[in-house]
Every structure is written in structure tokens, then in C-alpha cells.
Amino acid sequence: MTVTAPTLDTAQILVVGSTEWLEAFTDAVRSQTGASVRAVSNASEALDTVGQISIDCVVTEYTLREKTGVELVNCLKETTPSTPIILGTTAGSEAVASEAIRAGVTDYIAVTESADQTMDDLIERTADAVRIAEETTTRDERAQQFEAVFQDTQTATWVLDRQGSLKRVNQPAREMIDQDCDALIGETFWTLPWWDETETARQDVRQLVAEAREGQFSNVVVFQAPANPHRVLDLSVRPVKNDRGDLVSIVVEGIDVSEQVRLQRDLQESEELHRVTLKNMTDTVLITNDDGEYTYVCPNVHFIFGYTAEEIYEQETIDELIGENLFDRDDLAENRVLKNIECTATDKAGREHTLLVNVREVDIQGGSVLYSCRDITKRKQREEALATLQELARSFLYAGTHDEIAQHIVEDSSNVIGVEASAVYLFDADANELRPAAHSQTMRDLHGPLPRVHADGDTLPGHGFITGSTQVFENIHNSDRLENRATDLRSACYIPLGDHGVFVAGSDAVGAFDDVTRELADLLAAAAEAALDRVTRESTLRTQERQLQQQNDQLTTLNQINETIRAIDRAVVEAESREEIDHAVCDLLTSDDRFRFAWIGTVDPTTETLEARTWAGNEQGYLDGHQFAVGASGTEPAGQTAATDEVTMVPNVAADLREDSWRTDALRRDFMSVLSIPLVYNDLTYGVLTVYASTRDAFDEMAQTVLTELGETIAAALSAIERKNALLTTSITRLVFGIEDSTFILSRLAREADCTLTYKGGVQQTTDRSYVFVTVDGAAIETLQDSASGLAGIDDVQPISADTDGGVLRLGLTEPFLALELADHGAVFREAVASPTETTLTIDAPERVDGQTARQLVTDTFADVTLQSKQTLDQAFERDIHAQFLGALTDRQLEVTQTAYYSGFFESPRESTGEEVAALLGISPPAFYQHIRTVQRKLFTAVFEEANHPVAGQTEQVE
């Protein structure tokens, strides 16, 4: 029996196995159908073949050499799950059939002995398997295609049932409305909220669905309002039928065509706008025949030529309008178009215009030549003005001042902006005013003289400068800031030139500043501002260069001075005497070429004049030929400094030459400037240093500062020399002074307690006070303690010892005590005795220390001082022992010993025990006794280890 299976004609069949029935099946398929059959013997070959070519159906034997047919089915399902598989066997059973079905075979065939009948059935079943697989694949593809369309994010899709009710809606459609789309399922489609509620829109959608129900494809454009009144949808509908041709559903797709509709509307508007533009454009279009007679005149011809279209037609040819021989006819014939032909034409009012003409061959309404004319008069003016402006900018490069630039602006502004009246105001920062730096003659003729104006908002130039904005007036008389109401200016503009000033341009015509003129005026002002900025920068740079040069000169000078100062410092440190210091200072100062002559003088209190101690340099007899009186003013600078202890500087000796006689003497010796410096240390004067230079202003602020500090250094060194000499001398001068100064703390305390106080040494200095021991006679210690506590200069009172009418106190003083200042200069404050009526001080000054120093310290400290006596004593041994002993003690040991001494610890019998003194000092008794024993050992060492010591003698001299 022959079976026809057209489904297999194009199929690719794979046969797996080597049994007889498979061979018969292969032969039958090849003879009865057009299918292509490939036979393999085992599972491995089958899997390789499936991996290489597309197979439409696999027919396999259950029994194979490597694995069973069911195992092959499992492997094929993993590789090609959609390929139909038929499993056959001659030794079938229910178990094999069940296993095959579980593996997912498309069909299971138990092969019988009736081969022909079996082969026909096998071919039919194979054809059915292939057909069913194809139908399944087609359905799947269609379903996938529909789902892809349904999920399209750009297209809204609705699925309706056969009656037109909503079944499904995709996401783009859901996003078009704000309602819950799931709640609309089952509603009639044309009543849904996607459409305009008007009857027309609903009827269009209803008609669309009706046509789909009849099997027709159709579309309609609807507005989506009220959901979105600006959205327009293009709805298309298609019916969906089953295999029998019955309608099963309706699919509606909506595409947003709002943009296309908008573009179409814009295109229509653009076409209308184009028609309006052609009618109203400023380019003039003229068409003539070959003889130059008009066939068309653009309605806007008056914009350029001032004639109406009728007046143009009345002219014979176009040559009357734009001139003859505008172009070569042969060139036009060859190129058909000639562009950018420049020519001049005169309008109806007689004004000349520059035109740019394009000529084209045409064939329009009897015309053969089209002329497109553009007025470039303003452009030409701009080009010419820009060329002038470029030349002006180059001239700015050679201007060196702001006034030169202002003059250039005024001279060339008429060529740039076309107005004759112009002026430039420049800002005067010192006066906060705008001054007229340059102006044209026309500006003066129209406006009159230009005054300086204050840089504020009350005037037009001031307002423009302050606000930094350009002001343009059609008629300047309409401004309430116009200061000159009589001006003939009408149009005017005020353009600020940055921080430099204001540019003013004007005309006697109203409305003279059109857009081109304003633009050119702004460009002119910008170029001028840049030039002014350049001049300012260059001026600033030159100033900075001068300042830098001055600073370099000052630095060089400072280095020279510093070298001299360092040399002086080294010499002062190495000097052994005052004379060495004086000579070193003067010699080293005059070794510098800056200074011509230097000397150091000391005041003679008898004559009130300065006596030269030493000098160096080119003195030229100046010291011998002049008397240096001590005076505050009008005297030689050295005398002024001696009187005031202040630095005196004369930068120019030649000034006031007739007023001060010393200036003439100085000028004869080429002394052009002078600096006099006091040598002061700790309020004591050690002389006056005066330096002379051969140039004016030789002592600048830096040099003055350095030399003033040098004066302090010299004075400190001289003071150190005095202290050193005091330590080396064996002879002293004892000075006894009587003072009547109510402010002296001991005098005040003696008067307050009505007793006698005696200070015999023992001063101690801490960071905030001085401690002194005083002996009290004539008053109880308690009384003194109460009186001392009430005085402002005493902030600590400590009783050391006491008896019936006296004792010893330790006073803490808030002010420095005179003994410390004397010690700084090598003198010793030996004793002070204060009673209610008088006070005396005893001071020892070493012979090599100037006694005048001690006297000056006393007179500077107290108001009324009298020198009662002066004695010369020799105390070499005493000073050596005293210095050796005190140098060996610590501050604490000295404090403990002094307290014990003044408290009567060393008296016999003792007035205070060690425990009591220790309690006064705030230490333990063992610590007190340890300090005492240490001090005693150091004292005995100083006394008994001195092998030879001279016998002290004295010579007394009483003044």
C-alpha cells in the first residue's frame, strides 16, 4: 500500500539504529515522499548529526549499542526540545512504552511482522508528528509576535472580545490615563476614558470596532481629551480569527501622532510665515525682460529706494534705478547667476545707498532677469568705521598717558561713529571728580565749556561712571540729570571707560544713535578702555620697578649698615674699657662711605655743654670751631639730643640755613645730613653719639632704627664696663644723701608709725616683688605691721624678731628697689635710715665707676636730694671676702641666713630658736639647720683660706 505524505516532502528525517524494520522504513520514506533521510547506527552519531544540521523528526530503535533509545530521547530533549521523536521496537512491552512516554517521545510504535502495514502506518504517524510540530511552532511564533507587539513601549494596545468589550490593555495605554485600567475590563471600548467625550470621537471609535467585527482592517485619528487635550492617537484595528475563520478577538493599536500633527501644523504656519516674509522682507526683488523693462516689482521696494511699486513701474528701465552696465550679459548667459555685485543707488530723497545685487536668469511671467537687491550701506559704514577703529587702536599703542589716549578718541570718534561732538572725562581719584581731559570743537560749540563734575549720580557723566552702564538718549533734554539746560545737544550717549572715566558723544539731531552707531561707539569705548588699562599697567609696573630698585638700594644700604653694626658689636664685646668702645664705634661708623664724621660727647654739668670724648672721620675742625650747648631746640643736633634723650635727625642741613648758625659750619664741611643718638641704658645717659653724612636724606627710617638700636647696645656695653670696673677696684667712694621725698616707701612708713626704720642690706628680688629687711626703733612691731599693711607699695609684711619698742621686719615691695638699679651699675646701696622728719641714704660707688652715675640714679628716683658727704675708702680685703662669700651662696641659703640673722638667732642668748625661724620660712627645722651649717662652712672657708689680705684704710672727704 502506498501512502502519500506531502508534509514529509521537505522534511529532514534522522533514522537511528540498524534493525531491519528501520532499513525498510528508510527505503519506504525515500520511495514514497520527497523527504531527506539520514541514517546513523548509534546514539553518538545521532547527537553529532543533530548538532550539525536541522532535523525535522527523529525515528529511533529502542535497542542501541551504546545506550537505549529512551536514553537517546532524554539527550535529544536537552539539545532540541521541540524536535518530534518517534521510538519503535519489535520487542515492545508495556514497561518500554511507559518509559518512552515518560521520556517525552512524540509517538511510540510497536513494530509487527506485517512490514507493509507497519511502514505505511509509521510514515503517516511520522508525517503527523512533523505537521503537529510545525503547527505548534507556528502558534508559538505567532504568540511571541503578538506578545512582542503587545509589550511594545511605543504603541498602546487594547485587546477586545468579539462584542467590542475590553479584555487586555498594555502598559503604554495604561500610562495614558490616571484611572485603574483593571477596573475597566469588560467595559465597551468606545465608552472608555481614553477618548474625547464628544459624540464624534466616540462614534469614530465605535465605527472602527464595527468594521473589525466584520473582518475589516481600518484606522481612525482621534484626540485623547480630556485625558490629554494635546495628544492625538492614530488608532488601527485588526480582527483575529481562528483556523476555521471565526472571529475570536479584536486588537486595537494606538500610535501617538501628536508630534507629526504638530509638525504638520507648524509646516502650514511656516508656509504662511514664508509668504508673509517674502512680502515684507527688506531685500528687494525686481524682475525685468531682456530690455530692462519691469515685469515684477516687490511690494517692499520702498524700504531701499523710497519709491512705491507704481512709481518704479513708471520708470522706463532698471538702469535708471541702479545704473547702467551692472553686469556682463555674456557672463550671465554662461553662469546663469551672478552674485554679490556691489553698486550704489540714490533713493527718492537723494540719499546714496550701497547695494549688493544678485542677478539670475529666470522665466517668470514674461520676465527673464531677476534682481535681488540688498542694502549694505550700514554694513559698509561699519566696515569703514572698523578700519578706522583698527587704525585708532594701533595709535593707542604709542600713547604713553591717559590724556594722549583721550585726545586720540576725540580726534577719531567722528570717523568711527559718525557724530562730531565728543568728549572724554577722566577720573581724578584724589579729588573724586571727573575732569574733561579732551573734547571736540563741535562739543564745545554745542554744549559750551565742560566743567569738572563730582563722581556721583547727580550728573550724566557721574551717573554713567558710578553705575558702569551705557546711557543713550534720543533727546538729552528728557533727562533730569542734565546739568546744562542751555545745551544744543539732543542725542547723546555716555559710555563708561572702566575705572578710568566716561566717553561722551552727541549730536544736535534727535535720534542720531541707531543700532550700528551704538555698536561702533561701544567698540570705540572698549578699545579706549583697553588702551587706558595698558597705560595704567605700564605706569604701575614702572612704579613697582622704581619701588623695587629703591628696596634693592635700601637692602644694599642695610647690608652695609648691618656689616658695620656687626663689626661694632664684635668690637664692643672685645673692648676692655670705655675708651676702646668709643674709638671702635666712631672708627667703624666712618669707615662706611655713607658717613663722613662721627663723635661721642659727654655733658659737662658745670658748663651745660657737650665735651667730645672721641671722634673719627673727616672732622675738619668742626669740634674745635663750634660750642655744643645743651638745648631742646635751635642748637646743634648733639645738644638737642643731650637735652631730650631723644633721637635728633636733620635730613637736610641746608634747610633753614639762616636760622641756625651751626648749619653754616656744617655745610662748609659738606655735612649735608645729621643723626644724633642718645646712649641710654636703664634710664642712665652715657653720652651722645652724632653721625654726619655728605648727602641729604642719608638717614632713612631703616638706618635711623638700626643706629638707634646701636646706641642702646653701646650704652649697655658702657654700663657693663662700669660694673666690671666696680668689681676690679679696691677703692670706693661713699656718698651720703639726704632726701625729702614723701613718696619713698621707708619715709612714708616711718611717718605713718612714728618711728625710725633702718635698711642695712638684704634685698631679694622675685618675679613680682622685692623683699627688704628693715630694723624698727621706737614702735612696736605690731604697729609697724598694721601701718605697712595699709600702704599701696607694700603687699607683704613678715615679722622676723620683736622686742618692747622695735624689731625686724621683712617687707615685700611692689616697685623695684633702688639697690637693684645701683647694683646694675656696680654701686652698692649700703644703708638707708628713715625717721618721721628726715631720711638719709648711704651708697658706695667703686672708684673706677663714675660717681655721677650713682648721683643721677638717686636724683632721678627721688624729688629733693642733697649730697651730705663724700668719702673715699679702701676695702680691698673686705670686698674680696665679701664677694667670695656671697658668690658661694645660693639664693635660698642667703634668704635663710638673713632671716636667721635679723630674727636674733645668732644673738646670745638667742632671741629666736631654729624651730621658730624655720616656721617663719615655711621649712622643716632639719632643713633650716642644714642651710645654716652650710653657710657657716662657706663663711669660714672664705675667711681662713685667704692667705694674705691687706689692711683696710680710708681717707675721708666731707662735702
Side-chain angles (χ1 to χ4, degrees), residues 252-480:
V252 182
E253 295 179 343
I255 299 176
D256 188 346
V257 294
S258 305
E259 183 66 17
Q260 292 90 322
V261 172
R262 185 188 65 77
L263 291 175
Q264 184 177 3
R265 183 176 62 253
D266 291 346
L267 179 60
Q268 294 173 349
E269 294 176 354
S270 176
E271 291 175 351
E272 179 63 25
L273 179 62
H274 183 62
R275 287 193 292 271
V276 174
T277 301
L278 286 176
K279 184 178 179 180
N280 296 280
M281 68 181 181
T282 56
D283 283 10
T284 296
V285 176
L286 305 169
I287 303 177
T288 69
N289 57 23
D290 290 338
D291 296 330
E293 298 171 342
Y294 295 104
T295 61
Y296 173 79
V297 176
C298 184
N300 65 1
V301 67
H302 63 281
F303 285 159
I304 297 178
F305 300 101
Y307 298 103
T308 64
E310 290 75 13
E311 291 173 332
I312 293 293
Y313 277 116
E314 291 176 357
Q315 297 181 10
E316 294 183 1
T317 65
I318 196 171
D319 293 343
E320 296 183 22
L321 191 64
I322 59 177
E324 300 179 357
N325 302 320
L326 180 65
F327 60 92
D328 189 308
R329 291 283 179 171
D330 294 336
D331 290 342
L332 180 61
E334 180 180 353
N335 299 302
R336 297 188 59 82
V337 60
L338 301 176
K339 295 183 178 181
N340 299 330
I341 303 173
E342 187 174 314
C343 67
T344 59
T346 303
D347 64 13
K348 184 178 180 179
R351 293 185 296 265
E352 190 175 81
H353 296 257
T354 302
L355 304 181
L356 201 62
V357 182
N358 293 335
V359 183
R360 181 185 302 273
E361 283 189 346
V362 295
D363 185 9
I364 302 175
Q365 297 178 355
S368 59
V369 182
L370 182 147
Y371 298 81
S372 176
C373 304
R374 174 171 298 179
D375 191 348
I376 61 169
T377 305
K378 290 184 178 180
R379 190 177 79 181
K380 291 293 291 184
Q381 292 174 351
R382 183 185 292 109
E383 290 174 355
E384 293 172 357
L386 290 176
T388 303
L389 184 60
Q390 187 175 12
E391 291 295 328
L392 180 60
R394 279 197 290 267
S395 68
F396 284 160
L397 296 176
Y398 302 101
T401 65
H402 290 177
D403 285 351
E404 289 182 38
I405 293 174
Q407 192 61 43
H408 280 299
I409 297 171
V410 169
E411 291 174 354
D412 293 326
S413 61
S414 61
N415 296 328
V416 175
I417 62 178
V419 295
E420 299 295 332
S422 61
V424 174
Y425 288 86
L426 294 180
F427 179 57
D428 184 349
D430 295 332
N432 194 28
E433 289 181 342
L434 293 167
R435 63 177 180 86
H439 63 272
S440 65
Q441 185 60 43
T442 304
M443 174 63 77
R444 184 177 181 86
D445 295 341
L446 294 176
H447 190 72
L450 300 178
R452 295 171 71 101
V453 296
H454 196 64
D456 55 23
D458 294 339
T459 63
L460 289 172
H463 182 72
F465 178 72
I466 290 296
T467 61
S469 58
T470 300
Q471 305 172 86
V472 181
F473 299 94
E474 294 288 323
N475 188 342
I476 197 174
H477 285 269
N478 294 331
S479 173
D480 56 1

Side-chain angles (χ1 to χ4, degrees), residues 676-693:
S676 187
I677 305 164
L679 306 180
V680 178
Y681 177 73
N682 278 351
D683 297 328
L684 290 180
T685 301
Y686 292 88
V688 175
L689 168 64
T690 308
V691 185
Y692 303 80

Side-chain angles (χ1 to χ4, degrees), residues 29-45:
V29 170
R30 288 174 175 170
S31 62
Q32 298 180 22
T33 71
S36 175
V37 181
R38 175 167 296 193
V40 297
S41 61
N42 55 56
S44 297
E45 294 178 352

Side-chain angles (χ1 to χ4, degrees), residues 615-794:
W615 61 270
N618 193 2
E619 186 260 348
Q620 306 176 67
Y622 184 69
L623 296 178
D624 295 332
H626 192 78
Q627 187 176 20
F628 299 91
V630 176
S633 62
T635 60
E636 214 273 349
Q640 295 183 44
T641 299
T644 62
D645 278 346
E646 299 289 339
V647 174
T648 303
M649 184 176 69
V650 180
N652 184 9
V653 174
D656 301 325
L657 184 61
R658 302 293 179 265
E659 296 184 6
D660 301 327
S661 60
W662 67 270
R663 294 176 184 265
T664 303
D665 294 338
L667 285 177
R668 288 196 186 103
R669 296 164 174 83
D670 292 330
F671 299 159
M672 303 302 296
S673 55
V674 185
L675 180 66
S676 187
I677 305 164
L679 306 180
V680 178
Y681 177 73
N682 278 351
D683 297 328
L684 290 180
T685 301
Y686 292 88
V688 175
L689 168 64
T690 308
V691 185
Y692 303 80
S694 58
T695 59
R696 289 184 299 175
D697 299 313
F699 304 97
D700 55 15
E701 182 178 356
M702 187 181 302
Q704 182 178 349
T705 301
V706 172
L707 292 175
T708 300
E709 293 177 355
L710 174 63
E712 296 174 358
T713 302
I714 296 170
L718 292 172
S719 176
I721 290 293
E722 285 191 352
R723 290 194 300 273
K724 178 180 178 182
N725 291 337
L727 294 175
L728 296 176
T729 187
T730 62
S731 178
I732 65 170
T733 299
R734 177 162 293 173
L735 304 173
V736 179
F737 298 95
I739 65 171
E740 295 183 9
D741 190 339
S742 59
T743 62
F744 184 36
I745 190 64
L746 296 184
S747 300
R748 290 167 56 195
L749 184 56
R751 287 195 305 272
E752 195 73 26
D754 193 21
C755 66
T756 299
L757 301 178
T758 303
Y759 163 78
K760 291 186 176 180
V763 65
Q764 301 173 26
Q765 179 70 34
T766 64
T767 57
D768 55 353
R769 62 175 62 89
S770 301
Y771 291 98
V772 298
F773 292 90
V774 295
T775 301
V776 182
D777 290 321
I781 289 297
E782 292 78 6
T783 302
L784 257 295
Q785 190 172 357
D786 294 339
S787 298
S789 300
L791 297 179
I794 301 175

Side-chain angles (χ1 to χ4, degrees), residues 156 158 171-178 194 224 227 231 233 254:
W158 299 266
Q171 188 61 29
R174 291 173 180 270
E175 294 174 353
M176 289 183 179
I177 60 175
D178 296 332
W194 277 278
Q224 201 196 335
R231 180 178 289 160
L233 297 178

Side-chain angles (χ1 to χ4, degrees), residues 582 585-590 595-600 614-619 623 671 689-692:
D582 290 347
V585 170
C586 293
D587 288 340
L588 291 172
L589 280 175
T590 53
F595 308 129
R596 192 175 185 84
F597 167 50
W599 66 287
I600 296 176
T614 188
W615 61 270
N618 193 2
E619 186 260 348
L623 296 178
F671 299 159
L689 168 64
T690 308
V691 185
Y692 303 80

